[in-house]
Amino acid sequence: EDRHRVKGFIVNRFRGDESLLGKAHEMVEERTGVPVVGTIHYIHDLFIPDEDAFAFKSGFTKSSSSRVDSIRVALIDLPHFANLNDFEPLAAEPDVELIRVREPSGLVDADLIIIPGTKNVPSDLTVLLEHGFASALKKAHEKGVTILGVCGGFQMMGREVQDPFKIESSGESIAGFGLFDTVSVLEKEKITVLTSAYHNRLQCHLSGYEIHHGRTSLGSCRITAKGESGSPVIVESEDGSLMGTYLHGLFDSDSFRRKCIDEIRVKKGLHPLVDIQVEYDLDAALDRLAEVVERSIDMDLIMEMIRK
């Protein structure tokens, strides 16, 4: 009943010689009465985020780096994973191997461990505790491995997560990993705000957004990045090996990303690369995609279809 709504076909992510498709396009139109309006070739190094966590949950591993001096970044998988695109700029770096970790054993060789955001902090924290991640993270911290918690991951790194208004649970409090001297409380009002900040130690600007119910008392944490109003944006342990933030999009900053990676390289005994290796610009990537699509398909035919 919806067949009449199909007005054209587009071949997407094509690799190879487009001329080989000539007869195939003719055959499709003969058998369906619907034209092929274009072929879009596969676009390499197009830094556009995937559907949220889809590729990650499908077995995502970024290990294309052929460098022997790459650093290993372990991204912990969560049942309610959120905002995977926070870390796609890291995957674009030539000296970074970004892997999905579902078991504590996956943290053994990591140079950087990331606990990402989640749509349900108490539930995912419980899962990680049951799987033995608490002891694995403490062992990694004792070895000097850098650990970063983003949003819900930051809350998990503290002493306790409280949910008195039953926002994400039945109202219980749950012990965190105890890496930070912090307590997070999930409150009724959801914070949604665009945030700009300056990182004092790394001397670079950051921008992104916050979207969370939690408010966190910082305890003995050291504030290393503040927003324009003076509010804390990134906190760290005294030795800098633990980092926590509510800021999504922090790795979109080329300077911050490169300096973070270089710090880990130095800690590992490697030379810093110093110069920015990848310019991550989502707007430019979308413009590039639009240009390729416009060149590849019959836009006059598309506009004619729209007018009808």
Side-chain angles (χ1 to χ4, degrees), residues 119-177:
K119 300 178 183 72
N120 191 308
V121 176
S123 175
D124 286 0
L125 177 53
T126 298
V127 170
L128 294 185
L129 291 171
E130 290 175 348
H131 280 74
F133 273 91
S135 59
L137 287 167
K138 287 180 180 177
K139 288 179 182 178
H141 177 47
E142 290 168 358
K143 289 170 55 179
V145 176
T146 302
I147 301 174
L148 165 67
V150 178
C151 201
F154 170 40
Q155 295 173 359
M156 294 182 190
M157 291 176 70
R159 290 189 287 109
E160 187 179 22
V161 177
Q162 301 174 2
D163 190 9
F165 301 106
K166 302 182 180 181
I167 304 297
E168 297 179 0
S169 70
S170 58
E172 71 276 7
S173 296
I174 182 170
F177 296 128

Side-chain angles (χ1 to χ4, degrees), residues 15-222:
R15 300 171 187 252
D17 181 359
E18 187 179 349
S19 66
L20 298 176
L21 292 175
K23 291 184 179 180
H25 290 348
E26 293 173 6
M27 186 182 298
V28 168
E29 187 166 358
E30 287 174 3
R31 299 185 66 168
T32 67
V34 177
V36 177
V37 299
T39 300
I40 302 173
H41 284 259
Y42 185 90
I43 307 173
H44 293 277
D45 299 324
L46 182 65
F47 303 131
I48 291 180
D50 290 319
E51 185 81 19
D52 194 16
F54 175 76
F56 185 75
K57 292 294 185 181
S58 300
F60 165 95
T61 296
K62 193 276 183 182
S63 57
S64 60
S65 175
S66 59
R67 300 178 64 111
V68 295
D69 63 343
S70 62
I71 67 167
R72 187 178 179 87
V73 179
L75 183 55
I76 297 178
D77 195 359
L78 300 174
H80 301 93
F81 199 119
N83 304 95
L84 176 65
N85 54 326
D86 281 345
F87 314 109
E88 291 193 349
L90 280 175
E93 291 289 346
D95 58 334
V96 170
E97 179 187 5
L98 183 61
I99 61 168
R100 177 181 68 170
V101 171
R102 284 185 165 177
E103 298 295 335
S105 58
L107 304 181
V108 173
D109 298 323
D111 302 304
L112 168 63
I113 298 171
I114 298 175
I115 312 172
T118 167
K119 300 178 183 72
N120 191 308
V121 176
S123 175
D124 286 0
L125 177 53
T126 298
V127 170
L128 294 185
L129 291 171
E130 290 175 348
H131 280 74
F133 273 91
S135 59
L137 287 167
K138 287 180 180 177
K139 288 179 182 178
H141 177 47
E142 290 168 358
K143 289 170 55 179
V145 176
T146 302
I147 301 174
L148 165 67
V150 178
C151 201
F154 170 40
Q155 295 173 359
M156 294 182 190
M157 291 176 70
R159 290 189 287 109
E160 187 179 22
V161 177
Q162 301 174 2
D163 190 9
F165 301 106
K166 302 182 180 181
I167 304 297
E168 297 179 0
S169 70
S170 58
E172 71 276 7
S173 296
I174 182 170
F177 296 128
L179 298 169
F180 275 132
D181 179 29
T182 58
V183 174
S184 297
V185 180
L186 305 185
E187 298 186 351
K188 291 181 179 179
E189 181 183 356
K190 192 170 191 176
I191 296 172
T192 56
V193 62
L194 295 175
T195 300
S196 296
Y198 183 78
H199 198 289
N200 297 314
R201 182 169 56 78
L202 297 181
Q203 296 185 328
C204 56
H205 291 276
L206 298 167
S207 63
Y209 65 94
E210 297 180 42
I211 178 169
H212 54 91
H213 282 286
R215 294 183 183 274
T216 300
S217 60
L218 298 181
S220 58
C221 293
R222 178 169 57 117

